[in-house]
Every structure is written in structure tokens, then in C-alpha cells.
Amino acid sequence: MRIAVDAMGGDNAPKAIVEGINLAKKDFPEIEFLLFGKEAEIKKYLTDEVNVTIVHTDEKIESDDEPVKSIRKKKQASMVLAAHAVKNGEADAIFSAGNTGALLASGLFIIGRIKQVERPGLMTTMPVFTGEKNAGFDFIDMGANADNKAEHLLTYGILGSFYAKKVRHIDNPRVALLNNGSEETKGSELTKAAFELLSNEPSINFIGNIEARDVFDGGADVVVTDGFTGNAVLKSVEGTAQAIMGVLKSSIKDGGMKSKMGALLLKDSLMGMKDKMDYSSHGGAVLFGVKAPVVKTHGSTGPDAVRNTISQIKTMLEEDLVKDLQTFFEESKA
Amino acid sequence: MRIAVDAMGGDNAPKAIVEGINLAKKDFPEIEFLLFGKEAEIKKYLTDEVNVTIVHTDEKIESDDEPVKSIRKKKQASMVLAAHAVKNGEADAIFSAGNTGALLASGLFIIGRIKQVERPGLMTTMPVFTGEKNAGFDFIDMGANADNKAEHLLTYGILGSFYAKKVRHIDNPRVALLNNGSEETKGSELTKAAFELLSNEPSINFIGNIEARDVFDGGADVVVTDGFTGNAVLKSVEGTAQAIMGVLKSSIKDGGMKSKMGALLLKDSLMGMKDKMDYSSHGGAVLFGVKAPVVKTHGSTGPDAVRNTISQIKTMLEEDLVKDLQTFFEESKA
């Protein structure tokens, strides 16, 4: 099991990435790591070189580089070399905390898509707040595509269901379609057509429509949407959480001594709250529908999240997720 | 100035509605109210009948009634009668806290749309958290339509800009297009086409794309989107806020005595926070593009929100918003 790691991607690279790999090396001695980036900097943080191969390169993709152009121009960038390692069979999966668009482009254009998946989708496991440990739902497409057809949404239902079964070990995962109402008759032209296709797909447990308001209640294991809406929902969730936290902080600040004492007493609870809302325990976002696991974590990721994402990739590889998917699509089209 | 009020719409009707009308009567003695609903129940809460005409009816539309069917079948429902009063010129605007879909249908099919507005949109003023009093942005379409064309989004830009100018008294309001990236080249087929149209519209101050993450930062006065995305964004915001508040509550509860004391000390700040996030001060949601103000508040609305919404309708009527819009469209198409 060999994972190609873009050691230079993310705000705290290579420190946070290499420290995460140190943790993963301890927990998963069966994995070999190929670290792409500046050798001297990587070595500064690496505890030892057991199961590690460093592939030195000075070039890297910046967070504001134009995705498709940059992977074409920066042929020696750490991310691009890591993707080529997967394409050439030197590694089984790629991990990066760098430029999302560039990683999507690397997945699509270097590693390549599974033949029957016309439009790979970006998927992440979002937390739900039902109190159960590790509860969540797989949300796909979070924004790899700006325009999707109903057939793509059917594919996302199949992909998400595979992931929930194989990686999250959920029996018969409940697949729902994000829509503007829960009734069967609701929807845009796109979601109405997708509803029809999902309803008629025998390989998944389609439970109908779900509204964005209700996704956090644990009513579905997989939530399917087009990339434009998925992107808008994800960013609304982020924006709202940020806004509420900002208002909470400023309210405490403006509330004087009494508020500050209150906040101090509440500190443990607020930290517990942060933990409950943290979805890095589920790992990173997966570009799903390409020929190998392509996995992204947040640019501001820390060592623990890197370790969790490596654990997620390990499960995907152990379960042979991509190969099973390919077999499924070949058999269902036959 | 005569406002037709569906006294039976909403969870706490007619009590909350009539008590709100009592407040509005005191603040705005120049308004005449037509209250549609059960006379005996309305009278129970009404302080006096100055400037009030009660139109008795026993029928009402329930919150789970199918919108279009119900306004056709329940011809004597309080909402339907109120809409007909506007159509017949007996009232200048309609207000309801009842079934949103039925109110939209009443607006479209009974009151009717402005000739040049192919698809009226639902608009509300959302709060921003910049600390300025009454800061907010007008969000249109929040979900009156499941499918929109680029031309509709152009119309929403014009409608939102009119509203921000006339009702919120903002000079040269900044109009932005909700998109999956802030760069000019980003977007779906729909938003790319809408970007083009909005850019070329001389009557508005179009400032480009905005992401859902950034709308609460006060970067725009009007945010334009299609009804499907608008609905998803709005429900994501609601769902996230609810989820965070739920987690906060349970974290405090699970945190024992220390947390409870902290929460007690923080109570004032938390209430202040609730005020900052409350957008009922801006009034209700407007079905925009029909021949008279059609305004909706939340079903769980209280008397203060009813009063604020009446104040909003008053401004719309004083400014002759609908007539000015009609003139604008007639002149621009000429």
C-alpha cells in the first residue's frame, strides 16, 4: 500500500503534513509513503525514514494558481509529480492539502476518470449532530462541477452508497436527493429527472428528497446534489458557522467582566462543541470517480487531520473501492 | 393606505397577528386595515376598531395544504379573500404569516404579475454581521421558482436594486451575483449568462460575483440567485444555525454546574447575539414582481415582527415601489 503525498500543499506545509505522516507511520506500519517536495525541509520534520521515500522537487502549486494552467505549466510541482506517481503505478493513491482546483485537475487529467463516470464528483463526509459518535452523511458533488445532468446525480448516488458501505461500514445506506422540498413532486427540472433515475436504480436504497435544513439531523447517509448547489450549500454552512462564532465572540467581548467570566466557565463546553462539529475525524474530501483515491484536506489542516485522512485512504485501498466500482459499472452496463 | 391582512395565517393566529396590528395601529394611524378571518376570535384580541374593517370568514388555508389547489378550492379562505381585496382595488397590499406556497400562488394567480416580469421572485433582507445597525442584503429569489433563466436573474437584480434604494434608502446599491467563485470566469452556464446580462444593465450597480461564504460580510446590498439555489442557501443557513445552537445547548447541559453558571453569566450576551441575528426588524419576505406588495412573515411570528412588516409595507406603498417599477419596465422596453 503506497500513498503519494504532496508534502508542499497547504498553509502549514511541509511541517503539518510531515508531522501528520509521522503519526500515520506509527499507526499504520504497513503503508509506504512517497513524499514529494523540498527534501531538506521535509527531513527537518520527519522522525525517521522507515517506509518513506522522499522525491525532491523545488516547484510547487500555490493556493491562488489557476488550476488547469498550473498543472500544465508546473510539470515538476510536488502535486503534479505525486499524481504522475499514481498514474504510473508507483503509488496507489494521492493525498494533498493544497490548491483544490489543481488537485481536481490532476485527478481528472493525469490520473483519469473511470470510463463510465462521465463527471467525477467531490465528496466529503459531513457531521450530523444527533449525538452518535462519528455520525455523518456523504455529500456529493460538493463542487467539482458547475453544471450537472440528472445522469451524473444518479452516478453520485451509486458512488456515495459504495463509499458509505465500504469505508463507513454502513449496511444498506440511505441515499437522499437534496431538493427544494421533501415531497416527491418537488424540484427543478434537474432534480425531478434525477429523482426518477435514482428511484429506478436497484443497487441503492433511495429514500427520496431531503431539504438542506434537514441534512444535519441524520436523516440520510448519502446526500446527492449537483456541484453548483453543493458548493453553495457547503459555503453557506461555513459562512453561517463563521458568522455565528464571530457574533458569539463579539457579544462576549462587549458584555464586560460578567460575560468574560461566563465564557471562561464555559470554555470546556465550547471546546467540546468544537469537537462535535469537527469533521476532520472522517478524513478529507475525495474526488470520486477517478482511477485511484484522490484525497484533499483543508489547507489549514493540522497533523491529526492528516493522520485521519491517511487512515481514510487506507480503508479505501483495503476495501479495493475503486476496483469494485469499476467492476460494478462494467457489469451494470453489460 | 389600506392593507389586507390574513388574520388566520401562522402558528399563533389570530392572536399574534391581531396583537401586531394593535401595535401597528398605534404607530401608523394613517393606515386602514382589512382583517380577514373569524370575527369573534379577531375581536377577542383587537384593542379597538378604529381604522379596522373585519371581513368575517370561517375558511382558512392550512400550513400543509397544497398551494395551488387550496387557493382554487377554498374560495372563502381568509388569504384568498384578502388577495381578492387587493385585486379589486379595495386594498393596496396583502400581508400573511400563513402557507408560503399558497401566498405565492395568490400573488401570481389572483393579484397577477407585472407584465414585463416573467417570473416574480421571493425576496428578503438578510442580516449581515458587520456591527452596523440594520445592515443587511436583499436576497432574491429565495425560492419562488424551481428553475430560472438568466433573464430572470437580470430582473431580480433590477427588482432588488429598486427595493434597496426605495425601501432601505441605500444610494447606488451594490448588486452581486451568487456564484461558485468570485472570479469573473466562474460559474454554471446559467450564472455565466446572467453575469453577462447584469454587467450590461445600465440601471444597476453590478459589482460581480459573490460566494455564499461571503454574503454575511456586508460585501453587497443585493444578492441575486435562482430560486433553487436561493432556497438551498436559505435552508442551509437555517439548518446550520439551528444545529450550532443545539450543540451549544447540549454542550452546556453536559458540562455540569460549571457550564450552567457560565451560561447564566453569559445570558445577556447570548440574548444580544440573538438580537443581532434576528432579521425580523427588516420585515417579511416580499413576492416581488406582482402588481401590489405581497408580504409574508414567518409562521411562528410574534406581534413585534407583524408590526415591523406593516412598517415595511407602509414604506413600499409610500414610495410607490410597484408603480415605479412598472414605469421603469415600460420605458426600458420601449
Side-chain angles (χ1 to χ4, degrees):
Chain A
M1 214 181 283
R2 295 153 308 166
I3 301 179
V5 176
D6 169 16
M8 308 309 285
D11 308 337
N12 312 310
K15 186 172 185 286
I17 309 298
V18 176
E19 286 176 355
I21 298 300
N22 290 334
L23 297 176
K25 266 159 49 67
K26 238 191 329 199
D27 290 347
F28 316 116
E30 66 274 40
I31 303 178
E32 284 177 47
F33 294 96
L34 278 77
L35 303 189
F36 294 83
K38 292 195 176 174
E39 184 164 12
E41 282 195 52
I42 291 171
K43 278 189 171 164
K44 211 157 60 182
Y45 303 107
L46 199 64
T47 46
D48 63 74
E49 287 183 51
V50 180
N51 289 337
V52 170
T53 307
I54 300 174
V55 182
H56 173 78
T57 180
D58 279 322
E59 204 167 28
K60 69 168 189 165
I61 289 175
E62 307 292 339
S63 63
D64 56 354
D65 277 349
E66 206 280 306
V68 179
K69 264 187 210 158
S70 66
I71 70 157
R72 286 195 179 142
K73 279 195 178 166
K74 295 184 167 179
K75 291 195 192 303
Q76 297 301 313
S78 52
M79 185 194 284
V80 175
L81 292 181
H84 277 290
V86 175
K87 183 190 168 67
N88 301 335
E90 294 150 28
D92 307 305
I94 175 172
F95 164 76
S96 176
N99 183 319
T100 308
L103 187 63
L104 296 183
S106 299
L108 291 172
F109 302 127
I110 300 174
I111 296 168
R113 57 183 179 80
I114 295 174
K115 198 178 144 198
Q116 297 85 349
V117 179
E118 200 185 0
R119 292 286 193 97
L122 192 61
M123 193 210 76
T124 204
T125 305
M126 307 269 290
V128 301
F129 306 117
T130 52
E132 286 156 76
K133 208 172 173 285
N134 280 329
F137 63 93
D138 298 317
F139 192 46
I140 178 169
D141 174 23
M142 287 162 45
N145 301 281
D147 288 291
N148 277 123
K149 294 184 208 154
E151 291 73 23
H152 306 154
L153 270 59
L154 169 62
T155 303
Y156 299 152
I158 295 168
L159 294 174
S161 188
F162 253 84
Y163 187 88
K165 257 186 248 174
K166 297 258 172 181
V167 179
R168 295 172 59 222
H169 307 298
I170 296 169
D171 288 332
N172 204 24
R174 298 158 302 161
V175 178
L177 174 67
L178 190 76
N179 214 334
N180 61 357
S182 54
E183 303 88 341
E184 206 172 303
T185 53
K186 285 275 184 168
S188 61
E189 284 172 29
L190 174 67
T191 56
K192 280 180 184 167
F195 187 98
E196 187 70 22
L197 293 175
L198 287 159
S199 300
N200 293 323
E201 171 59 39
S203 77
I204 61 170
N205 173 21
F206 180 58
I207 59 164
N209 292 322
I210 194 165
E211 294 189 76
R213 187 166 33 207
D214 301 322
V215 293
F216 295 114
D217 290 341
D221 302 306
V222 176
V223 176
V224 169
T225 189
D226 68 282
F228 189 87
T229 308
N231 178 280
V233 165
L234 201 76
K235 285 174 181 166
S236 302
V237 170
E238 281 179 27
T240 309
Q242 241 167 45
I244 292 180
M245 290 308 173
V247 174
L248 182 61
K249 266 187 205 161
S250 73
S251 295
I252 290 172
K253 222 175 116 192
D254 299 347
M257 188 51 89
K258 203 174 95 178
S259 281
K260 282 189 193 101
M261 273 189 60
L264 207 64
L265 288 167
L266 262 182
K267 203 178 160 195
D268 292 342
S269 293
L270 292 177
M271 292 307 285
M273 175 178 162
K274 220 180 139 191
D275 281 351
K276 273 189 208 166
M277 289 168 52
D278 178 22
Y279 53 101
S280 70
S281 65
H282 290 292
V286 181
L287 177 65
F288 216 172
V290 289
K291 287 180 184 152
V294 172
V295 184
K296 164 81 173 65
T297 58
H298 208 279
S300 61
T301 203
D304 284 329
V306 172
R307 182 244 163 242
N308 292 339
T309 308
I310 297 296
S311 163
Q312 171 197 20
I313 297 174
K314 175 177 166 275
T315 310
M316 290 173 75
L317 292 175
E318 279 171 352
E319 296 285 345
D320 236 344
L321 190 64
V322 171
K323 209 178 151 200
D324 279 7
L325 258 178
Q326 283 176 310
T327 309
F328 170 84
F329 282 119
E330 275 158 25
E331 285 174 1
S332 70
K333 302 273 162 165
Chain B
M1 213 180 286
R2 295 154 307 166
I3 302 178
V5 176
D6 169 17
M8 308 310 284
D11 308 337
N12 311 312
K15 185 171 186 286
I17 308 300
V18 176
E19 286 175 356
I21 298 300
N22 290 334
L23 297 175
K25 267 160 48 69
K26 238 189 333 195
D27 291 346
F28 316 117
E30 66 274 41
I31 303 178
E32 283 177 48
F33 294 97
L34 278 76
L35 304 188
F36 294 82
K38 292 195 176 173
E39 185 164 12
E41 282 195 50
I42 292 171
K43 279 190 170 163
K44 208 156 65 181
Y45 303 108
L46 199 64
T47 46
D48 63 75
E49 287 184 50
V50 179
N51 289 336
V52 169
T53 308
I54 299 174
V55 182
H56 174 77
T57 178
D58 278 322
E59 204 167 29
K60 69 168 190 165
I61 289 175
E62 306 292 339
S63 62
D64 56 354
D65 277 349
E66 207 281 305
V68 179
K69 263 188 212 157
S70 65
I71 70 157
R72 287 195 177 141
K73 280 194 178 165
K74 295 184 167 180
K75 290 195 193 304
Q76 297 301 314
S78 52
M79 184 193 286
V80 174
L81 292 180
H84 276 290
V86 175
K87 184 190 168 66
N88 302 335
E90 295 149 29
D92 306 304
I94 175 172
F95 164 76
S96 176
N99 184 320
T100 307
L103 187 63
L104 296 182
S106 299
L108 291 171
F109 302 126
I110 299 174
I111 296 170
R113 57 184 180 78
I114 295 175
K115 198 178 142 196
Q116 297 86 348
V117 179
E118 199 183 2
R119 291 287 194 96
L122 192 61
M123 194 209 76
T124 203
T125 304
M126 306 268 291
V128 301
F129 306 117
T130 52
E132 287 155 76
K133 208 173 173 286
N134 280 331
F137 62 93
D138 298 317
F139 192 47
I140 178 170
D141 174 21
M142 287 162 44
N145 300 282
D147 288 290
N148 277 123
K149 293 184 207 156
E151 290 73 23
H152 306 154
L153 271 58
L154 169 61
T155 304
Y156 298 153
I158 295 168
L159 294 175
S161 189
F162 252 84
Y163 187 88
K165 258 185 246 173
K166 297 257 170 181
V167 179
R168 296 173 57 221
H169 307 299
I170 296 169
D171 288 333
N172 204 23
R174 299 158 301 161
V175 178
L177 174 67
L178 190 77
N179 213 335
N180 61 358
S182 52
E183 304 88 340
E184 207 172 303
T185 53
K186 285 275 183 170
S188 61
E189 285 171 29
L190 173 68
T191 56
K192 281 179 184 168
F195 186 99
E196 188 69 23
L197 293 177
L198 287 158
S199 301
N200 292 324
E201 172 59 39
S203 76
I204 61 170
N205 173 21
F206 181 59
I207 60 164
N209 292 323
I210 194 165
E211 294 190 76
R213 185 164 36 207
D214 301 323
V215 292
F216 296 114
D217 291 342
D221 301 306
V222 176
V223 175
V224 169
T225 189
D226 68 281
F228 189 86
T229 307
N231 178 280
V233 165
L234 199 77
K235 285 176 182 167
S236 302
V237 170
E238 281 180 25
T240 308
Q242 240 168 46
I244 292 181
M245 291 307 174
V247 173
L248 182 61
K249 266 187 207 163
S250 72
S251 295
I252 290 172
K253 223 175 113 193
D254 299 346
M257 189 51 88
K258 203 174 94 179
S259 282
K260 281 188 195 103
M261 272 190 62
L264 208 64
L265 287 167
L266 262 182
K267 205 179 159 193
D268 292 343
S269 294
L270 292 177
M271 291 307 286
M273 174 179 163
K274 220 181 139 190
D275 280 351
K276 274 190 209 164
M277 289 169 51
D278 179 21
Y279 51 103
S280 70
S281 65
H282 289 293
V286 181
L287 176 65
F288 215 174
V290 288
K291 287 180 186 153
V294 172
V295 184
K296 165 79 174 65
T297 58
H298 208 279
S300 61
T301 203
D304 285 328
V306 172
R307 183 242 163 243
N308 293 338
T309 307
I310 297 297
S311 164
Q312 170 198 19
I313 297 173
K314 176 177 165 275
T315 310
M316 291 173 73
L317 292 175
E318 278 170 353
E319 296 284 346
D320 236 343
L321 190 64
V322 171
K323 208 177 152 201
D324 280 7
L325 258 179
Q326 282 176 311
T327 310
F328 170 84
F329 283 118
E330 274 159 25
E331 285 174 0
S332 70
K333 301 275 163 164

